Amino acid sequence: LMILIPIIILVLEALPNATVLKFLAYDEEMPYYYRYFSYFSLVPFGYALFGPLLTAINTCILLVLSVLFPFKNKYKKILIILSIIGLITSLSPLLFGVDYFTLIGLFISILYFIYIVLLINSYREREA
């Protein structure tokens, strides 16, 4: 489960409609139009929406560390810190408004939260 959740997060981040950019249209009927991108796309990063790409990079690092060191207790602290950073960066598009946050982004944030809870519980069980 500790490896499955980052894999699911990575798959969700790779979807082509995982993050959104809102552009001003020059039409009176439709004042804005939206373009959807993957978390790995550099286009949102170029438009100063840094959170999705940072979250995707963080998820890759988290997956590698959770595969390499699944049962070592000293690496659980690193995994917890990386997961908290991933949760913060996955919620960062909300700083621009709700229009910049997708349903897939919500699922990614929820999965990060669940992963943090599971890591903390497994860390406490190993300490006891």
Side-chain angles (χ1 to χ4, degrees):
L1 191 62
M2 300 309 261
I3 297 171
L4 184 64
I5 291 176
I7 290 172
I8 294 171
I9 292 172
L10 199 63
V11 168
L12 288 175
E13 290 171 348
L15 292 176
N17 55 351
T19 188
V20 64
L21 286 176
K22 179 179 168 183
F23 294 101
L24 183 64
Y26 296 106
D27 188 7
E28 294 172 2
E29 296 174 10
M30 188 178 75
Y32 299 103
Y33 66 95
Y34 299 91
R35 295 282 186 233
Y36 295 91
F37 301 95
S38 164
Y39 267 50
F40 293 98
S41 175
L42 291 175
V43 175
F45 192 80
Y47 282 98
L49 189 61
F50 302 116
L53 184 64
L54 295 176
T55 305
I57 293 169
N58 189 20
T59 305
C60 293
I61 295 169
L62 190 71
L63 180 62
V64 168
L65 288 179
S66 63
V67 167
L68 292 178
F69 309 109
F71 302 112
K72 298 202 190 271
N73 213 15
K74 65 180 180 179
Y75 293 106
K76 294 260 174 132
K77 292 179 185 177
I78 296 171
L79 291 176
I80 291 171
I81 291 170
L82 281 174
S83 300
I84 291 171
I85 291 171
L87 178 64
I88 292 169
T89 58
S90 71
L91 292 173
S92 68
L94 286 174
L95 295 172
F96 291 100
V98 180
D99 290 341
Y100 290 88
F101 200 66
T102 62
L103 187 61
I104 294 173
L106 176 66
F107 287 141
I108 290 170
S109 300
I110 290 170
L111 284 172
Y112 260 113
F113 182 75
I114 292 169
Y115 192 71
I116 291 168
V117 170
L118 289 174
L119 277 172
I120 291 173
N121 284 340
S122 69
Y123 183 73
R124 287 185 182 165
E125 288 175 1
R126 295 237 177 203
E127 288 289 320

PDB file of all heavy atoms in Angstrom, residues 57-82:
ATOM      1  N   ILE A  57       7.327  16.203  -9.577  1.00  0.00           N
ATOM      2  CA  ILE A  57       8.720  15.863  -9.264  1.00  0.00           C
ATOM      3  C   ILE A  57       8.804  15.240  -7.878  1.00  0.00           C
ATOM      4  O   ILE A  57       9.500  14.246  -7.659  1.00  0.00           O
ATOM      5  CB  ILE A  57       9.612  17.108  -9.388  1.00  0.00           C
ATOM      6  CG1 ILE A  57       9.692  17.544 -10.844  1.00  0.00           C
ATOM      7  CG2 ILE A  57      11.009  16.842  -8.833  1.00  0.00           C
ATOM      8  CD1 ILE A  57      10.327  18.901 -11.047  1.00  0.00           C
ATOM      9  N   ASN A  58       8.068  15.817  -6.939  1.00  0.00           N
ATOM     10  CA  ASN A  58       8.056  15.300  -5.570  1.00  0.00           C
ATOM     11  C   ASN A  58       7.493  13.878  -5.530  1.00  0.00           C
ATOM     12  O   ASN A  58       8.005  13.027  -4.801  1.00  0.00           O
ATOM     13  CB  ASN A  58       7.235  16.238  -4.684  1.00  0.00           C
ATOM     14  CG  ASN A  58       7.352  15.905  -3.228  1.00  0.00           C
ATOM     15  OD1 ASN A  58       8.294  15.243  -2.810  1.00  0.00           O
ATOM     16  ND2 ASN A  58       6.394  16.355  -2.444  1.00  0.00           N
ATOM     17  N   THR A  59       6.474  13.610  -6.315  1.00  0.00           N
ATOM     18  CA  THR A  59       5.894  12.268  -6.352  1.00  0.00           C
ATOM     19  C   THR A  59       6.888  11.254  -6.908  1.00  0.00           C
ATOM     20  O   THR A  59       6.973  10.128  -6.415  1.00  0.00           O
ATOM     21  CB  THR A  59       4.610  12.265  -7.197  1.00  0.00           C
ATOM     22  OG1 THR A  59       3.711  13.242  -6.682  1.00  0.00           O
ATOM     23  CG2 THR A  59       3.935  10.911  -7.169  1.00  0.00           C
ATOM     24  N   CYS A  60       7.641  11.641  -7.923  1.00  0.00           N
ATOM     25  CA  CYS A  60       8.665  10.732  -8.477  1.00  0.00           C
ATOM     26  C   CYS A  60       9.723  10.402  -7.426  1.00  0.00           C
ATOM     27  O   CYS A  60      10.107   9.236  -7.269  1.00  0.00           O
ATOM     28  CB  CYS A  60       9.307  11.354  -9.703  1.00  0.00           C
ATOM     29  SG  CYS A  60       8.203  11.514 -11.103  1.00  0.00           S
ATOM     30  N   ILE A  61      10.186  11.414  -6.703  1.00  0.00           N
ATOM     31  CA  ILE A  61      11.171  11.185  -5.646  1.00  0.00           C
ATOM     32  C   ILE A  61      10.576  10.311  -4.544  1.00  0.00           C
ATOM     33  O   ILE A  61      11.220   9.381  -4.047  1.00  0.00           O
ATOM     34  CB  ILE A  61      11.669  12.531  -5.081  1.00  0.00           C
ATOM     35  CG1 ILE A  61      12.441  13.305  -6.153  1.00  0.00           C
ATOM     36  CG2 ILE A  61      12.550  12.316  -3.854  1.00  0.00           C
ATOM     37  CD1 ILE A  61      12.738  14.736  -5.776  1.00  0.00           C
ATOM     38  N   LEU A  62       9.338  10.589  -4.179  1.00  0.00           N
ATOM     39  CA  LEU A  62       8.650   9.821  -3.136  1.00  0.00           C
ATOM     40  C   LEU A  62       8.493   8.360  -3.546  1.00  0.00           C
ATOM     41  O   LEU A  62       8.720   7.457  -2.733  1.00  0.00           O
ATOM     42  CB  LEU A  62       7.284  10.448  -2.869  1.00  0.00           C
ATOM     43  CG  LEU A  62       6.503   9.962  -1.683  1.00  0.00           C
ATOM     44  CD1 LEU A  62       7.170  10.448  -0.405  1.00  0.00           C
ATOM     45  CD2 LEU A  62       5.088  10.485  -1.758  1.00  0.00           C
ATOM     46  N   LEU A  63       8.162   8.119  -4.800  1.00  0.00           N
ATOM     47  CA  LEU A  63       8.002   6.745  -5.281  1.00  0.00           C
ATOM     48  C   LEU A  63       9.325   5.996  -5.255  1.00  0.00           C
ATOM     49  O   LEU A  63       9.382   4.846  -4.808  1.00  0.00           O
ATOM     50  CB  LEU A  63       7.409   6.749  -6.688  1.00  0.00           C
ATOM     51  CG  LEU A  63       7.176   5.389  -7.320  1.00  0.00           C
ATOM     52  CD1 LEU A  63       6.172   4.580  -6.518  1.00  0.00           C
ATOM     53  CD2 LEU A  63       6.708   5.543  -8.747  1.00  0.00           C
ATOM     54  N   VAL A  64      10.392   6.642  -5.691  1.00  0.00           N
ATOM     55  CA  VAL A  64      11.705   5.987  -5.690  1.00  0.00           C
ATOM     56  C   VAL A  64      12.125   5.656  -4.259  1.00  0.00           C
ATOM     57  O   VAL A  64      12.585   4.537  -3.984  1.00  0.00           O
ATOM     58  CB  VAL A  64      12.754   6.887  -6.388  1.00  0.00           C
ATOM     59  CG1 VAL A  64      14.161   6.382  -6.136  1.00  0.00           C
ATOM     60  CG2 VAL A  64      12.475   6.961  -7.871  1.00  0.00           C
ATOM     61  N   LEU A  65      11.958   6.601  -3.343  1.00  0.00           N
ATOM     62  CA  LEU A  65      12.350   6.343  -1.955  1.00  0.00           C
ATOM     63  C   LEU A  65      11.472   5.288  -1.290  1.00  0.00           C
ATOM     64  O   LEU A  65      11.960   4.480  -0.502  1.00  0.00           O
ATOM     65  CB  LEU A  65      12.307   7.642  -1.146  1.00  0.00           C
ATOM     66  CG  LEU A  65      13.405   8.649  -1.445  1.00  0.00           C
ATOM     67  CD1 LEU A  65      13.225   9.894  -0.600  1.00  0.00           C
ATOM     68  CD2 LEU A  65      14.773   8.046  -1.216  1.00  0.00           C
ATOM     69  N   SER A  66      10.185   5.272  -1.616  1.00  0.00           N
ATOM     70  CA  SER A  66       9.313   4.265  -0.999  1.00  0.00           C
ATOM     71  C   SER A  66       9.571   2.873  -1.566  1.00  0.00           C
ATOM     72  O   SER A  66       9.311   1.876  -0.903  1.00  0.00           O
ATOM     73  CB  SER A  66       7.848   4.653  -1.154  1.00  0.00           C
ATOM     74  OG  SER A  66       7.483   4.694  -2.508  1.00  0.00           O
ATOM     75  N   VAL A  67      10.098   2.788  -2.789  1.00  0.00           N
ATOM     76  CA  VAL A  67      10.460   1.485  -3.349  1.00  0.00           C
ATOM     77  C   VAL A  67      11.799   1.015  -2.775  1.00  0.00           C
ATOM     78  O   VAL A  67      11.961  -0.158  -2.432  1.00  0.00           O
ATOM     79  CB  VAL A  67      10.520   1.557  -4.892  1.00  0.00           C
ATOM     80  CG1 VAL A  67      11.193   0.333  -5.473  1.00  0.00           C
ATOM     81  CG2 VAL A  67       9.127   1.719  -5.462  1.00  0.00           C
ATOM     82  N   LEU A  68      12.747   1.924  -2.649  1.00  0.00           N
ATOM     83  CA  LEU A  68      14.081   1.540  -2.184  1.00  0.00           C
ATOM     84  C   LEU A  68      14.145   1.260  -0.681  1.00  0.00           C
ATOM     85  O   LEU A  68      14.854   0.366  -0.246  1.00  0.00           O
ATOM     86  CB  LEU A  68      15.095   2.636  -2.535  1.00  0.00           C
ATOM     87  CG  LEU A  68      15.389   2.832  -4.013  1.00  0.00           C
ATOM     88  CD1 LEU A  68      16.372   3.976  -4.197  1.00  0.00           C
ATOM     89  CD2 LEU A  68      15.928   1.566  -4.641  1.00  0.00           C
ATOM     90  N   PHE A  69      13.425   2.053   0.103  1.00  0.00           N
ATOM     91  CA  PHE A  69      13.520   1.929   1.555  1.00  0.00           C
ATOM     92  C   PHE A  69      12.134   1.774   2.183  1.00  0.00           C
ATOM     93  O   PHE A  69      11.695   2.631   2.945  1.00  0.00           O
ATOM     94  CB  PHE A  69      14.194   3.170   2.149  1.00  0.00           C
ATOM     95  CG  PHE A  69      15.483   3.529   1.490  1.00  0.00           C
ATOM     96  CD1 PHE A  69      15.581   4.654   0.693  1.00  0.00           C
ATOM     97  CD2 PHE A  69      16.604   2.738   1.663  1.00  0.00           C
ATOM     98  CE1 PHE A  69      16.769   4.997   0.084  1.00  0.00           C
ATOM     99  CE2 PHE A  69      17.791   3.069   1.048  1.00  0.00           C
ATOM    100  CZ  PHE A  69      17.882   4.197   0.261  1.00  0.00           C
ATOM    101  N   PRO A  70      11.426   0.684   1.905  1.00  0.00           N
ATOM    102  CA  PRO A  70      10.061   0.583   2.416  1.00  0.00           C
ATOM    103  C   PRO A  70       9.964   0.314   3.913  1.00  0.00           C
ATOM    104  O   PRO A  70       8.992   0.692   4.540  1.00  0.00           O
ATOM    105  CB  PRO A  70       9.478  -0.581   1.608  1.00  0.00           C
ATOM    106  CG  PRO A  70      10.652  -1.409   1.250  1.00  0.00           C
ATOM    107  CD  PRO A  70      11.800  -0.459   1.089  1.00  0.00           C
ATOM    108  N   PHE A  71      10.965  -0.308   4.496  1.00  0.00           N
ATOM    109  CA  PHE A  71      10.827  -0.728   5.886  1.00  0.00           C
ATOM    110  C   PHE A  71      11.854  -0.097   6.817  1.00  0.00           C
ATOM    111  O   PHE A  71      11.907  -0.444   7.984  1.00  0.00           O
ATOM    112  CB  PHE A  71      10.929  -2.257   5.983  1.00  0.00           C
ATOM    113  CG  PHE A  71       9.884  -2.940   5.152  1.00  0.00           C
ATOM    114  CD1 PHE A  71      10.250  -3.661   4.028  1.00  0.00           C
ATOM    115  CD2 PHE A  71       8.555  -2.846   5.473  1.00  0.00           C
ATOM    116  CE1 PHE A  71       9.303  -4.293   3.254  1.00  0.00           C
ATOM    117  CE2 PHE A  71       7.592  -3.474   4.700  1.00  0.00           C
ATOM    118  CZ  PHE A  71       7.965  -4.200   3.593  1.00  0.00           C
ATOM    119  N   LYS A  72      12.654   0.799   6.329  1.00  0.00           N
ATOM    120  CA  LYS A  72      13.658   1.429   7.182  1.00  0.00           C
ATOM    121  C   LYS A  72      13.023   2.620   7.879  1.00  0.00           C
ATOM    122  O   LYS A  72      12.478   3.517   7.252  1.00  0.00           O
ATOM    123  CB  LYS A  72      14.861   1.851   6.356  1.00  0.00           C
ATOM    124  CG  LYS A  72      15.544   0.677   5.713  1.00  0.00           C
ATOM    125  CD  LYS A  72      16.951   1.024   5.369  1.00  0.00           C
ATOM    126  CE  LYS A  72      17.567  -0.036   4.527  1.00  0.00           C
ATOM    127  NZ  LYS A  72      18.196  -1.075   5.014  1.00  0.00           N
ATOM    128  N   ASN A  73      13.122   2.627   9.194  1.00  0.00           N
ATOM    129  CA  ASN A  73      12.422   3.628   9.982  1.00  0.00           C
ATOM    130  C   ASN A  73      13.025   5.017   9.842  1.00  0.00           C
ATOM    131  O   ASN A  73      12.308   6.005   9.899  1.00  0.00           O
ATOM    132  CB  ASN A  73      12.421   3.198  11.456  1.00  0.00           C
ATOM    133  CG  ASN A  73      11.171   3.624  12.164  1.00  0.00           C
ATOM    134  OD1 ASN A  73      10.191   3.998  11.526  1.00  0.00           O
ATOM    135  ND2 ASN A  73      11.188   3.581  13.467  1.00  0.00           N
ATOM    136  N   LYS A  74      14.325   5.112   9.633  1.00  0.00           N
ATOM    137  CA  LYS A  74      14.936   6.436   9.531  1.00  0.00           C
ATOM    138  C   LYS A  74      14.529   7.143   8.243  1.00  0.00           C
ATOM    139  O   LYS A  74      14.537   8.364   8.181  1.00  0.00           O
ATOM    140  CB  LYS A  74      16.448   6.360   9.654  1.00  0.00           C
ATOM    141  CG  LYS A  74      17.151   5.628   8.546  1.00  0.00           C
ATOM    142  CD  LYS A  74      18.644   5.635   8.781  1.00  0.00           C
ATOM    143  CE  LYS A  74      19.361   4.906   7.664  1.00  0.00           C
ATOM    144  NZ  LYS A  74      20.789   4.914   7.835  1.00  0.00           N
ATOM    145  N   TYR A  75      14.136   6.413   7.214  1.00  0.00           N
ATOM    146  CA  TYR A  75      13.680   7.030   5.971  1.00  0.00           C
ATOM    147  C   TYR A  75      12.204   7.388   6.016  1.00  0.00           C
ATOM    148  O   TYR A  75      11.736   8.109   5.145  1.00  0.00           O
ATOM    149  CB  TYR A  75      13.970   6.120   4.781  1.00  0.00           C
ATOM    150  CG  TYR A  75      15.440   5.967   4.523  1.00  0.00           C
ATOM    151  CD1 TYR A  75      16.106   4.793   4.853  1.00  0.00           C
ATOM    152  CD2 TYR A  75      16.179   7.004   3.993  1.00  0.00           C
ATOM    153  CE1 TYR A  75      17.462   4.658   4.627  1.00  0.00           C
ATOM    154  CE2 TYR A  75      17.540   6.876   3.768  1.00  0.00           C
ATOM    155  CZ  TYR A  75      18.171   5.704   4.091  1.00  0.00           C
ATOM    156  OH  TYR A  75      19.511   5.580   3.872  1.00  0.00           O
ATOM    157  N   LYS A  76      11.488   6.890   7.001  1.00  0.00           N
ATOM    158  CA  LYS A  76      10.074   7.246   7.125  1.00  0.00           C
ATOM    159  C   LYS A  76       9.920   8.733   7.414  1.00  0.00           C
ATOM    160  O   LYS A  76       8.973   9.362   6.961  1.00  0.00           O
ATOM    161  CB  LYS A  76       9.410   6.430   8.228  1.00  0.00           C
ATOM    162  CG  LYS A  76       9.334   4.962   7.927  1.00  0.00           C
ATOM    163  CD  LYS A  76       7.990   4.585   7.433  1.00  0.00           C
ATOM    164  CE  LYS A  76       8.035   3.147   7.007  1.00  0.00           C
ATOM    165  NZ  LYS A  76       7.030   2.321   7.450  1.00  0.00           N
ATOM    166  N   LYS A  77      10.868   9.309   8.172  1.00  0.00           N
ATOM    167  CA  LYS A  77      10.802  10.749   8.440  1.00  0.00           C
ATOM    168  C   LYS A  77      10.945  11.541   7.150  1.00  0.00           C
ATOM    169  O   LYS A  77      10.232  12.516   6.927  1.00  0.00           O
ATOM    170  CB  LYS A  77      11.899  11.157   9.422  1.00  0.00           C
ATOM    171  CG  LYS A  77      11.719  10.632  10.808  1.00  0.00           C
ATOM    172  CD  LYS A  77      12.861  11.066  11.700  1.00  0.00           C
ATOM    173  CE  LYS A  77      12.738  10.443  13.068  1.00  0.00           C
ATOM    174  NZ  LYS A  77      13.872  10.800  13.937  1.00  0.00           N
ATOM    175  N   ILE A  78      11.854  11.107   6.295  1.00  0.00           N
ATOM    176  CA  ILE A  78      12.039  11.778   5.008  1.00  0.00           C
ATOM    177  C   ILE A  78      10.786  11.639   4.152  1.00  0.00           C
ATOM    178  O   ILE A  78      10.352  12.591   3.502  1.00  0.00           O
ATOM    179  CB  ILE A  78      13.281  11.217   4.285  1.00  0.00           C
ATOM    180  CG1 ILE A  78      14.533  11.521   5.089  1.00  0.00           C
ATOM    181  CG2 ILE A  78      13.399  11.768   2.872  1.00  0.00           C
ATOM    182  CD1 ILE A  78      15.774  10.828   4.591  1.00  0.00           C
ATOM    183  N   LEU A  79      10.193  10.438   4.158  1.00  0.00           N
ATOM    184  CA  LEU A  79       8.969  10.219   3.388  1.00  0.00           C
ATOM    185  C   LEU A  79       7.823  11.085   3.909  1.00  0.00           C
ATOM    186  O   LEU A  79       7.031  11.611   3.125  1.00  0.00           O
ATOM    187  CB  LEU A  79       8.582   8.743   3.415  1.00  0.00           C
ATOM    188  CG  LEU A  79       9.485   7.787   2.661  1.00  0.00           C
ATOM    189  CD1 LEU A  79       9.029   6.347   2.873  1.00  0.00           C
ATOM    190  CD2 LEU A  79       9.515   8.119   1.193  1.00  0.00           C
ATOM    191  N   ILE A  80       7.731  11.238   5.227  1.00  0.00           N
ATOM    192  CA  ILE A  80       6.684  12.081   5.809  1.00  0.00           C
ATOM    193  C   ILE A  80       6.885  13.531   5.389  1.00  0.00           C
ATOM    194  O   ILE A  80       5.931  14.216   4.983  1.00  0.00           O
ATOM    195  CB  ILE A  80       6.654  11.933   7.348  1.00  0.00           C
ATOM    196  CG1 ILE A  80       6.159  10.542   7.733  1.00  0.00           C
ATOM    197  CG2 ILE A  80       5.774  13.004   7.987  1.00  0.00           C
ATOM    198  CD1 ILE A  80       6.302  10.217   9.205  1.00  0.00           C
ATOM    199  N   ILE A  81       8.116  14.016   5.449  1.00  0.00           N
ATOM    200  CA  ILE A  81       8.400  15.405   5.067  1.00  0.00           C
ATOM    201  C   ILE A  81       8.112  15.627   3.579  1.00  0.00           C
ATOM    202  O   ILE A  81       7.484  16.618   3.198  1.00  0.00           O
ATOM    203  CB  ILE A  81       9.853  15.763   5.418  1.00  0.00           C
ATOM    204  CG1 ILE A  81      10.021  15.817   6.930  1.00  0.00           C
ATOM    205  CG2 ILE A  81      10.258  17.093   4.784  1.00  0.00           C
ATOM    206  CD1 ILE A  81      11.451  15.926   7.404  1.00  0.00           C
ATOM    207  N   LEU A  82       8.542  14.687   2.739  1.00  0.00           N
ATOM    208  CA  LEU A  82       8.262  14.808   1.300  1.00  0.00           C
ATOM    209  C   LEU A  82       6.760  14.758   1.018  1.00  0.00           C
ATOM    210  O   LEU A  82       6.275  15.457   0.130  1.00  0.00           O
ATOM    211  CB  LEU A  82       8.971  13.702   0.531  1.00  0.00           C
ATOM    212  CG  LEU A  82      10.454  13.893   0.270  1.00  0.00           C
ATOM    213  CD1 LEU A  82      11.030  12.647  -0.381  1.00  0.00           C
ATOM    214  CD2 LEU A  82      10.701  15.103  -0.593  1.00  0.00           C
TER     215      LEU A  82
END
